[in-house]
Amino acid sequence: MAYKITSQCISCNLCESVCPTGAIKVEGSRHWIDSELCTDCVGTIHTVPQCKAGCPTCDGCVKETNDYWESWFAKYNRVVGKLTKKQDYWERWFDCYSQKFSEQIQKHQGEILGV
Ligand code: SF4
Ligand code: SF4
């Protein structure tokens, strides 16, 4: 698992100067993190990832997940959380939708079988 720099980065260069492993790379004004070098700051004197901790933006530096849906929910929760202040909006929406959908299927199957 590594951190990644997003389009919200304002190129302040802070993360480059604090990264203990030299994982922050800079190409022009574009910053990115070399996942081969990023250790999440584990094994260093730091207790939290320095790039994320020091970034002056809200989501300029975020934890990258390997799981597609985990990443999808994390991204949309951040966006929706900003708009609604409800961090788990999409999980609750999905749970509710799944429950209603399975109720409809069971009802439909019951009608077909005449139960
Ligand atoms: S988590 Fe730590 S090692 Fe990884 S890029 Fe950020 S500062 Fe560097
Ligand atoms: S600290 Fe944040 S805003 Fe500054 S260069 Fe790094 S990712 Fe971009």
Side-chain angles (χ1 to χ4, degrees):
M1 194 83 62
Y3 280 75
K4 74 173 180 182
I5 293 174
T6 72
S7 59
Q8 293 195 33
C9 169
I10 57 172
S11 303
C12 72
N13 286 331
L14 184 76
C15 55
E16 184 190 11
S17 63
V18 296
C19 176
T21 65
I24 311 285
K25 303 298 179 189
V26 184
E27 290 171 354
S29 61
R30 177 178 167 262
H31 291 64
W32 57 281
I33 294 174
D34 185 339
S35 59
E36 297 290 314
L37 295 176
C38 175
T39 61
D40 289 4
C41 288
V42 173
T44 67
I45 60 169
H46 307 295
T47 53
V48 293
Q50 293 300 286
C51 54
K52 168 82 175 151
C55 183
T57 69
C58 185
D59 285 326
C61 181
V62 297
K63 188 159 194 164
E64 189 168 40
T65 61
N66 293 327
D67 179 80
Y68 175 82
W69 286 110
E70 189 183 339
S71 174
W72 190 90
F73 277 120
K75 180 176 181 180
Y76 278 89
N77 276 333
R78 278 200 305 277
V79 173
V80 173
K82 283 182 192 172
L83 298 173
T84 66
K85 309 291 185 206
K86 295 173 184 171
Q87 294 295 328
D88 60 348
Y89 178 88
W90 286 109
E91 277 104 336
R92 289 187 295 107
W93 178 89
F94 187 76
D95 289 346
C96 184
Y97 178 83
S98 303
Q99 185 183 346
K100 294 291 179 193
F101 187 66
S102 62
E103 283 171 8
Q104 289 295 318
I105 287 176
Q106 285 172 0
K107 184 179 169 195
H108 187 62
Q109 286 174 334
E111 286 170 359
I112 289 174
L113 297 172
V115 179

